[in-house]
Amino acid sequence: MEIWDEVVKEFNTEINTLRISLGNGGAEDYPHYRQLVGSINSLEWARNNLTDIIKKRMYMEDED
């Protein structure tokens, strides 16, 4: 397993933890709910961009 796979796995683990917490009523109030949703959104954004960058770099290396 490459380091990037481990990073993506950790992103997915944290995203799932936050989703479960949110689904189980873990938000104390509306601001906390917004914080949880924002955290999930941010982690997904970071994971997706990291994955895209790695794919582009790997593709560039394959062309060389």
Side-chain angles (χ1 to χ4, degrees):
M1 178 181 286
E2 298 214 16
I3 189 167
W4 309 117
D5 296 328
E6 292 179 46
V7 172
V8 169
K9 182 180 176 184
E10 287 300 316
F11 275 126
N12 289 335
T13 300
E14 185 63 21
I15 290 166
N16 287 333
T17 299
L18 291 171
R19 284 182 177 163
I20 289 169
S21 175
L22 193 62
N24 289 332
E28 299 163 3
D29 52 17
Y30 186 66
H32 189 221
Y33 168 82
R34 289 184 61 191
Q35 178 187 10
L36 290 172
V37 171
S39 295
I40 292 168
N41 189 38
S42 298
L43 288 167
E44 287 177 337
W45 179 88
R47 179 195 61 199
N48 294 339
N49 281 314
L50 177 65
T51 302
D52 289 344
I53 290 168
I54 292 169
K55 285 180 182 178
K56 288 176 187 174
R57 293 285 177 130
M58 300 287 259
Y59 180 71
M60 291 169 77
E61 287 178 8
D62 289 343
E63 286 184 344
D64 292 340

